[in-house]
Amino acid sequence: MSYGTSWVVTGLDKGWLKVGGLINPDDAIVKINKGIVAGDWTGQNVQVVTNDAYTQAVPKPKQAGIKYLPVGSRWQVSTVSSDGGFVKIGGWIDANKVKVEL
């Protein structure tokens, strides 16, 4: 793969980035377009990045918080809401409050 080429990361394989082939993450600059949609983060590990992260019963804005998730805690995504705005990690959480770990 040529230097300067853009690829879409479709998953991870034992720590390597899947982009049609496999790339060592140390050899790539990865940009994640958060704030738009989570994409298919199912099965990926995420880390909480805000102090106000609570799980919710449904994937909709302004729902009552159920369980507090501390900053830096790590979780595995079981599914993503149909609009991509929420990920399920035990309960639903706004995708802007987590980042994908590579």
Side-chain angles (χ1 to χ4, degrees):
M1 292 178 208
S2 301
Y3 178 80
T5 303
S6 295
W7 296 86
V8 174
V9 176
T10 59
L12 296 173
D13 184 359
K14 298 178 185 169
W16 289 72
L17 304 175
K18 288 183 180 181
V19 293
L22 296 176
I23 295 178
N24 185 327
D26 293 336
D27 297 331
I29 296 172
V30 179
K31 296 180 183 178
I32 299 174
N33 296 319
K34 286 175 41 32
I36 300 170
V37 294
D40 187 7
W41 291 3
T42 302
Q44 301 300 320
N45 292 323
V46 295
Q47 182 176 21
V48 176
V49 294
T50 65
N51 285 317
D52 62 343
Y54 288 84
T55 59
Q56 301 173 183
V58 294
K60 294 183 182 178
K62 302 184 182 189
Q63 297 295 306
I66 298 170
K67 178 181 177 182
Y68 174 71
L69 304 178
V71 170
S73 61
R74 293 171 169 86
W75 306 87
Q76 187 172 54
V77 176
S78 61
T79 191
V80 177
S81 64
S82 60
D83 67 358
F86 291 82
V87 295
K88 193 167 191 179
I89 53 177
W92 292 101
I93 186 169
D94 186 325
N96 290 312
K97 296 186 180 196
V98 296
K99 69 176 183 178
V100 173
E101 290 190 328
L102 297 176

